[in-house]
Amino acid sequence: MIDTLLLTIKIGLDPNLFELVGLEISWHGLFTAAGVLLGVGTAAWFARRAAFEEDTIYNLALALVVGGIIGARGLFVLEHLDSFRDDPAEIFNLNAGGISIYGALVGGTVGAWLYAVIRKVPNIPRVADIGAMGGIIGMAVGRIGDIVNGEHFASTTGLPWGVVYTDLNNPSFIRFGPQALAQHPAVAYELIGDLLIFALLVFVYYRVNRAGVTFFAWVFLYGLLRVLVSFLRLDDIVLAGLRTAQIIAIVTMPLGLAGMIYFLRTPPPEQRQTRSERRRQTREKGPEERPTG
């Protein structure tokens, strides 16, 4: 039998790096910021090659980040309402931690979409494709901080790998104690899944080349990933043995499939214009000019 202890990764890093003007900077915060920067940079790289204006790129990114922060905190608060009933002001204490990645995705999508509609940004489906690729690679980087901080608890593992947290300030150590068994590196599984999804999205973006398909592929694939990984996490069960992330994923995955089918069946704008012109030309022709059978 394989001795699992030999393959267990022990993480003894303090979750908090240092304090800056009264704010504690954590590994989670550091890699979240790095993920935002890389995600925006990745989206900007694709956007430039799709001939979007520079101002449009960064204004959309700002709307996405603001919407993502609101959504991330908002969904976390909804999931933990009992913790905020006695002191509602704590809702705005972001430094204390507590965000939902699915809330960030929903809020960021809504924020960017609202900006695109209000500012009449052209080709919104293609903008969504680019945002999805930037978003998923940024999420992968952010998960590195989650791995170090150990704030997402997972079930114990009997596989020949696992993770144990040994720092006294680590949330996992505080919850399970010094004799804790190795747990699944569930967040690391999601990080790997994010990178695989990014690779698939880039493939779809270039090979399928239909605006909107890449975005809805992201909706479906990330939902599938969260359904599977969440079975290993110890998040609160909400309904029928499912966690909040799984319920959201089960709702959004059919939307992802429907969106992919719709945009795959919808001709590109240049083809739609050609067909429209053909119909117009047919109507303009006299009866004697129309082909006969």
Side-chain angles (χ1 to χ4, degrees), residues 124-141:
I124 292 179
R126 182 55 86 194
V127 171
D129 292 341
I130 292 169
M133 291 186 290
I136 197 70
I137 196 65
M139 288 161 54
V141 173

Side-chain angles (χ1 to χ4, degrees), residues 140-165:
V141 173
R143 284 307 189 190
I144 298 173
D146 289 334
I147 294 172
V148 177
N149 270 37
E151 55 198 1
H152 297 294
F153 311 126
S155 57
T156 56
T157 176
L159 298 174
W161 61 81
V163 63
V164 171
Y165 294 92

Side-chain angles (χ1 to χ4, degrees), residues 27-41 137-139 141-142 144:
W27 289 97
H28 178 274
L30 175 66
F31 280 100
T32 296
V36 169
L37 291 175
L38 180 61
V40 171
I137 196 65
M139 288 161 54
V141 173
I144 298 173

Side-chain angles (χ1 to χ4, degrees), residues 28 47 49 61 115 124 130-131 142 150 187 189 201 204-205 210 227-228 237 245-246 248 255 261 285 291:
H28 178 274
R49 281 149 184 78
Y115 175 84
I124 292 179
I130 292 169
V187 180
Y189 298 158
L201 294 185
V204 171
Y205 182 81
R210 286 289 183 89
V227 167
L228 298 175
I237 292 176
Q246 292 173 307
I248 296 175
L255 296 177
I261 293 171
K285 289 181 179 180

Side-chain angles (χ1 to χ4, degrees), residues 88-103:
E90 280 297 304
I91 292 175
F92 305 99
N93 186 13
L94 298 179
N95 187 48
I99 60 173
S100 165
I101 192 65
Y102 239 131

Side-chain angles (χ1 to χ4, degrees), residues 25-26 47 70 74 77 100 126 128 139 203 239 242 252 256 269 277 282:
I25 306 301
S26 67
I70 295 172
V77 170
S100 165
R126 182 55 86 194
M139 288 161 54
F203 176 82
L239 179 67
L242 299 174
T252 56
E277 289 177 352
T282 300

